[in-house]
Amino acid sequence: MLSDKTIEIVKSTAPLLALAGTVVTEHFYNRLFSHNPELQDIFNMANQRSGRQQFALFNALAAYAQNIDNLAVLKEALARINHKHTSMHILPEHYPIVGGHLIGTLKELIPEQFTAEVEYAWREAYALLADICITEEAALYEHSKNNHGGWSGTRAFVIAKKQPESELVTSFTLVPVDGKAVMTHKPGQYLGIKVKPAYAQYSEIRQYSISQQSNGENYRISVKKELLPAAGIVSNYLHSLDVGSVVELYPPAGDFFLRANKKPVVLISAGVGQTPMLAMLQTLLCDTSNQAVTYLHACENILQHSFSQFLAEQAAAHTRLNYYTWFNQGGEGAEFTGLMNVSAVAEQLPLEEGDFYICGPTGFMAAIKQQLLVLGVAAERIHYEVFGPHQDL
Ligand SMILES: Cc1cc2nc3c(=O)[nH]c(=O)nc-3n(C[C@H](O)[C@H](O)[C@H](O)COP(=O)(O)OP(=O)(O)OC[C@H]3O[C@@H](n4cnc5c(N)ncnc54)[C@H](O)[C@@H]3O)c2cc1C
Ligand code: HEM
């Protein structure tokens, strides 16, 4: 429990973090990586260069400080962070390191405002947040370890199949080297994958959504080769691997998954954002409840249209599946040309009761969310996943 005094100080000094800006975040990460260079094997250094992750941590801390007397409002955001942390095996001993550099940064950069009293309050508040995270993450680790087919830390998987799905996306079927079962994942969840390309300076961890329903034996991920503005380290490395190569996986994680409420479902994706949708779609179509499903997908053109054959087969086999495609550049193989506009199919959407799942670039997701809100879909029925540090749409 925090004292009233601590709560008051932390709330009143929260703007220090909210206004932190790049000077403070850069100082913090420089300090972190120079004192604890081993953490460069955990953090995505490309996200560091773009600053995306830098702001994610400070924004989360600022939100915590602002809501320190009503932590319930942070439940969803914290759950998302905890899942992401477990996909990289963040451990209790990492928390004091991050906390120490945070306090050190504020002391060094804003000594007038960051008095001894303020420092004491922040140390207490950070310890409480760290405790909450450590407890939640311990529960997730326990679940993964004790589940049938589960494990803890990394586990070696061999690439058993490599299947090109389109110009840029290739699927990899990953089978555990130990030949044992793999734990069930919720449709929509992702895996943390850890690799060390010979040419890379550090080990690299990335998340990839599992692009098939659970089968107890293997996982499939489908990876877009990132070419612009610079070749992405892990995606290009994975594309270069042959069948028989071994990668290391952390257990499935993620809080973006299909709700088990039997309501009509609309799965909306752009580009490689359809990976979690495929796991959801397969799961829904195997279910006997006859739930209605609408699958809306957007991509550039027919060459970039992944899983087109699978989707056409599913639509032909299941009358309860409505499936529409948008090609930005037009051409054969899609019902619509240009950017996706869901109002074109609004009459067929379960606007009043359905759950809407969105995945794709953030600009795409923001536009679709706005369209759905205008059509009257309640915000709490719109769920989305960002393929990077979370952003509010
Ligand atoms: C929950 C989740 C699920 C995901 N699921 C999938 C999935 O199913 N399939 C999938 O393909 N991806 C998925 N991703 C994205 C994936 O984790 C990686 O982020 C992606 O593959 C890029 O990683 P990379 O190592 O190839 O690129 P990185 O090296 O991390 O680079 C990231 C981006 O930065 C750019 N970049 C790199 N260096 C520079 C530089 N010096 N200056 C400017 N820009 C630069 C690259 O072009 C690239 O676009 C998911 C992400 C999350 C968080
Ligand atoms: C209470 C303290 C912490 C808070 C509030 C916090 C917050 C966050 C947030 C908001 C994200 C982005 C989540 C998303 O993807 O949406 C994140 C990601 C991450 N966190 Fe933490 N974190 C904390 C502690 C730690 C610690 C102790 C470590 C380990 C040293 C750590 C390592 C990471 C890494 C590696 C990522 C992913 C970054 C990337 O890939 O760029 N965090 N954290």
Side-chain angles (χ1 to χ4, degrees):
M1 274 293 280
L2 298 174
S3 66
D4 289 349
K5 182 80 184 155
T6 293
I7 290 174
E8 186 206 314
I9 293 175
V10 169
K11 275 194 93 153
S12 66
T13 51
L16 293 180
L17 284 183
L19 301 173
T22 45
V23 177
V24 176
T25 54
E26 273 179 32
H27 188 88
F28 167 80
Y29 281 103
N30 285 338
R31 206 176 190 281
L32 183 72
F33 295 135
S34 59
H35 287 76
N36 295 89
E38 74 283 2
L39 293 182
Q40 294 174 105
D41 278 331
I42 302 182
F43 279 86
N44 175 340
M45 300 311 283
N47 278 354
Q48 289 299 316
R49 280 192 293 276
S50 71
R52 291 194 297 172
Q53 163 57 17
Q54 302 201 336
F55 285 110
L57 172 65
F58 276 79
N59 286 344
L61 288 167
Y64 167 64
Q66 279 148 7
N67 294 290
I68 195 147
D69 46 359
N70 180 20
L71 292 182
V73 299
L74 299 177
K75 199 166 169 244
E76 228 177 87
L78 277 175
R80 193 168 44 233
I81 294 169
N82 298 144
H83 276 276
K84 187 64 78 65
H85 280 168
T86 63
S87 76
M88 297 172 300
H89 207 57
I90 304 302
L91 294 172
E93 55 265 35
H94 292 130
Y95 280 87
I97 300 175
V98 165
H101 290 300
L102 172 73
I103 303 288
T105 297
L106 296 172
K107 268 168 90 167
E108 282 160 21
L109 289 190
I110 42 170
E112 298 84 32
Q113 291 110 309
F114 208 69
T115 58
E117 192 184 36
V118 175
E119 178 185 339
Y120 181 81
W122 269 94
R123 280 192 188 279
E124 260 199 302
Y126 177 84
L128 175 68
L129 180 60
D131 244 26
I132 295 171
C133 287
I134 289 168
T135 306
E136 286 302 317
E137 288 160 22
L140 294 172
Y141 287 130
E142 274 299 297
H143 173 79
S144 304
K145 195 171 133 196
N146 297 331
N147 219 297
H148 174 66
W151 70 98
S152 162
T154 54
R155 181 171 171 192
F157 280 70
V158 65
I159 299 176
K161 186 174 171 196
K162 200 176 161 188
Q163 169 76 42
E165 307 289 359
S166 65
E167 203 174 42
L168 295 174
V169 175
T170 291
S171 290
F172 300 84
T173 303
L174 305 167
V175 177
V177 169
D178 59 27
K180 295 185 182 160
V182 301
M183 70 181 271
T184 306
H185 64 273
K186 294 183 182 162
Q189 285 193 308
Y190 53 82
L191 293 162
I193 185 163
K194 184 179 185 183
V195 294
K196 172 85 175 70
Y199 47 83
Q201 209 176 344
Y202 310 105
S203 285
E204 299 286 343
I205 303 175
R206 299 288 185 276
Q207 290 76 25
Y208 291 99
S209 304
I210 304 169
S211 62
Q212 67 181 11
Q213 67 181 335
S214 267
N215 62 20
E217 292 175 2
N218 56 51
Y219 298 116
R220 183 182 71 172
I221 59 169
S222 305
V223 179
K224 179 184 173 199
K225 201 173 165 62
E226 294 290 343
L227 299 170
L228 294 170
I233 299 173
V234 176
S235 60
N236 283 275
Y237 174 69
L238 289 172
H239 276 250
S240 77
L241 293 181
D242 292 322
V243 167
S245 305
V246 172
V247 295
E248 299 203 278
L249 297 185
Y250 293 110
D255 64 338
F256 175 74
F257 52 76
L258 195 62
R259 269 74 180 157
N261 59 14
K262 305 293 179 203
K263 291 193 177 154
V265 169
V266 184
L267 305 174
I268 307 176
S269 61
V272 77
Q274 73 174 316
T275 49
M277 306 304 171
L278 291 165
M280 295 190 195
L281 179 67
Q282 281 187 339
T283 308
L284 286 162
L285 294 180
C286 282
D287 193 285
T288 49
S289 66
N290 222 20
Q291 218 166 333
V293 191
T294 309
Y295 195 99
L296 308 180
H297 180 65
C299 61
E300 278 304 304
N301 54 40
I302 197 163
L303 296 175
Q304 294 192 16
H305 190 199
S306 305
F307 305 101
S308 54
Q309 193 185 336
F310 167 78
L311 291 165
E313 284 166 9
Q314 299 308 310
H318 300 272
T319 49
R320 66 187 167 113
L321 170 62
N322 275 323
Y323 163 49
Y324 296 101
T325 309
W326 277 254
F327 284 167
N328 192 22
Q329 296 168 3
E332 269 184 40
E335 285 74 24
F336 301 102
T337 292
L339 299 178
M340 184 186 288
N341 185 343
V342 292
S343 57
V345 293
E347 282 183 5
Q348 300 184 47
L349 298 179
L351 299 172
E352 285 174 12
E353 42 162 357
D355 270 311
F356 292 73
Y357 298 85
I358 319 176
C359 189
T362 44
F364 165 81
M365 294 197 290
I368 299 299
K369 181 176 178 187
Q370 193 50 37
Q371 292 170 18
L372 292 174
L373 291 174
V374 169
L375 288 170
V377 177
E380 60 271 19
R381 286 188 285 111
I382 303 175
H383 319 287
Y384 66 95
E385 177 90 289
V386 181
F387 277 3
H390 181 79
Q391 290 172 43
D392 288 331
L393 295 181

